[in-house]
Amino acid sequence: MGWKGTVRSIGAAVRAAERDAKRRQRELEKRQKQYERMQELEQAAYEVEVYENHIEIIQSLHKECSVPIQWKELSIQKEPIQPEKTDTYEHNARHKADNYKPGFIDRLFQREEKVRQKLKTNIEVAINQDTLKYNENFSKWKKDFEEWEKTTSLAKSLLNGHSQAKLEVIEDLDPFSEISNLGSSLEISIGDTGIVEATINVHGKEIIPNEIKGLLQSGKLSVKKMPQGKFNELYQDYVCSSILRVANELFSILPDDLVIITAVDELLNTQTGHLEESPILSACISRSTLQSLNLEAIDPSDSMTNFVHNMSFKKTKGFDIVSRVKPERFVNI
């Protein structure tokens, strides 16, 4: 099976293992169709559930990831064996013809010659069946061989660090759909070092709510302005969770040991007075370090201390502009 087939075959397992927050999100989306028919208190409870689920989603992106592709195994998988033409059908037909012995009924109704002619015709039909079977097997083998050739070639290119192969796999699989559904966008580049660099535009003001929704004792909806400190903390968790998710997805589809992820968003340039797209977090994520973390239990913001990263963040102010981590720093490490 080729690498694309492998990915498709494990898709069901990935969906089955998705985190509770995602399953809850789908349930809430189904209930949205019934929103207009709900009573006031039901609508209030529903709005709070949607709000709380969204908060959980943006803080737990790192908890879910695609199943890793085993490129080393794919690079050494055995070549499909070319089929040989067999005479199984012909052999069986000839055996029947050679061992035919007319019975009483055939002799009585003088059907012996007719039966023999039929058995002879069956041999010709059987020869055609053998040919058709061989042609089917050959067509399947040819398709499997071409897939094997492409897969092993791609796997070897990836294991040898070829940048074009990496970009091809990332483009084909596009594992970042959940992040893009939240409104973030992603760009991938690979420089002379061969290290994959991902830039994620997090669109924080669009993703992080500026209100807090809850229920009063009466069951009615309560909507309050979110304190700036709370907003900034959620924003930081969302950005860090996104960074970890992108890194994990890249490690799942590539054999690389290091990736550099940079989150950018619009910040105020105090010199010009204009909002400008600027880096707010840049991190070099190591596969071994990421795999050593318990992603179910970590605080995504606190986890950045495990990696080389640039981040300037204050609860009262939020993010400030930082410089990107340079890939040249990690060559020959």
Side-chain angles (χ1 to χ4, degrees), residues 202-304:
V202 292
H203 300 289
K205 291 183 179 179
E206 298 174 18
I207 304 301
I208 311 301
N210 54 21
E211 298 175 329
I212 296 177
K213 294 184 179 181
L215 293 177
L216 300 173
Q217 286 188 342
S218 63
K220 292 185 177 181
L221 182 65
S222 168
V223 181
K224 298 178 180 178
K225 179 175 175 58
M226 182 178 290
Q228 191 62 43
K230 178 65 174 176
F231 177 92
N232 289 337
E233 284 184 327
L234 285 174
Y235 186 16
Q236 184 187 30
D237 279 347
Y238 162 62
V239 171
C240 294
S241 186
S242 298
I243 290 279
L244 294 174
R245 176 63 179 275
V246 171
N248 226 349
E249 292 290 357
L250 288 171
F251 288 141
S252 293
I253 63 174
L254 298 175
D256 296 35
D257 294 319
L258 288 175
V259 293
I260 293 176
I261 319 294
T262 300
V264 301
D265 207 347
E266 288 189 336
L267 293 182
L268 178 66
N269 184 327
T270 56
Q271 293 181 341
T272 65
H274 297 297
L275 291 173
E276 296 179 2
E277 193 174 277
S278 307
I280 58 174
L281 171 59
S282 187
C284 179
I285 308 295
S286 158
R287 177 190 293 271
S288 59
T289 302
L290 187 58
Q291 290 178 342
S292 72
L293 303 180
N294 180 358
L295 296 181
E296 289 293 327
I298 63 169
D299 178 293
S301 298
D302 293 343
S303 74
M304 286 297 112

Side-chain angles (χ1 to χ4, degrees), residues 104-275:
F104 173 76
I105 298 298
D106 288 346
R107 292 196 299 272
L108 178 64
F109 291 98
Q110 299 180 343
R111 296 192 312 191
E112 178 180 353
E113 184 59 31
K114 185 176 180 180
V115 172
R116 290 190 182 280
Q117 185 60 40
K118 175 65 175 175
L119 290 172
K120 183 178 180 181
T121 301
N122 286 348
I123 293 174
E124 296 175 0
V125 172
I127 291 173
N128 289 333
Q129 284 181 300
D130 284 326
T131 300
L132 287 173
K133 186 67 176 177
Y134 170 73
N135 289 340
E136 289 176 5
N137 290 339
F138 183 84
S139 295
K140 183 180 182 304
W141 167 81
K142 186 177 180 181
K143 183 178 179 180
D144 290 344
F145 179 82
E146 290 173 353
E147 184 64 34
W148 168 84
E149 199 170 36
K150 290 178 182 178
T151 299
T152 53
S153 176
L154 178 61
K156 290 174 182 176
S157 293
L158 287 170
L159 293 170
N160 286 328
H162 293 172
S163 297
Q164 189 56 44
K166 295 178 186 181
L167 293 173
E168 177 185 339
V169 170
I170 293 169
E171 182 179 355
D172 280 347
L173 294 183
D174 187 22
F176 310 109
S177 59
E178 183 180 357
I179 296 174
S180 63
N181 287 340
L182 284 174
S184 300
S185 56
L186 193 75
E187 294 181 2
I188 301 291
S189 63
I190 304 176
D192 295 337
T193 64
I195 296 176
V196 176
E197 298 177 71
T199 298
I200 177 171
N201 194 320
V202 292
H203 300 289
K205 291 183 179 179
E206 298 174 18
I207 304 301
I208 311 301
N210 54 21
E211 298 175 329
I212 296 177
K213 294 184 179 181
L215 293 177
L216 300 173
Q217 286 188 342
S218 63
K220 292 185 177 181
L221 182 65
S222 168
V223 181
K224 298 178 180 178
K225 179 175 175 58
M226 182 178 290
Q228 191 62 43
K230 178 65 174 176
F231 177 92
N232 289 337
E233 284 184 327
L234 285 174
Y235 186 16
Q236 184 187 30
D237 279 347
Y238 162 62
V239 171
C240 294
S241 186
S242 298
I243 290 279
L244 294 174
R245 176 63 179 275
V246 171
N248 226 349
E249 292 290 357
L250 288 171
F251 288 141
S252 293
I253 63 174
L254 298 175
D256 296 35
D257 294 319
L258 288 175
V259 293
I260 293 176
I261 319 294
T262 300
V264 301
D265 207 347
E266 288 189 336
L267 293 182
L268 178 66
N269 184 327
T270 56
Q271 293 181 341
T272 65
H274 297 297
L275 291 173

Side-chain angles (χ1 to χ4, degrees), residues 73-74 76-81 148 152:
E73 294 179 9
L74 290 174
I76 58 175
Q77 64 179 331
K78 293 183 179 180
E79 176 182 343
I81 299 175
W148 168 84
T152 53

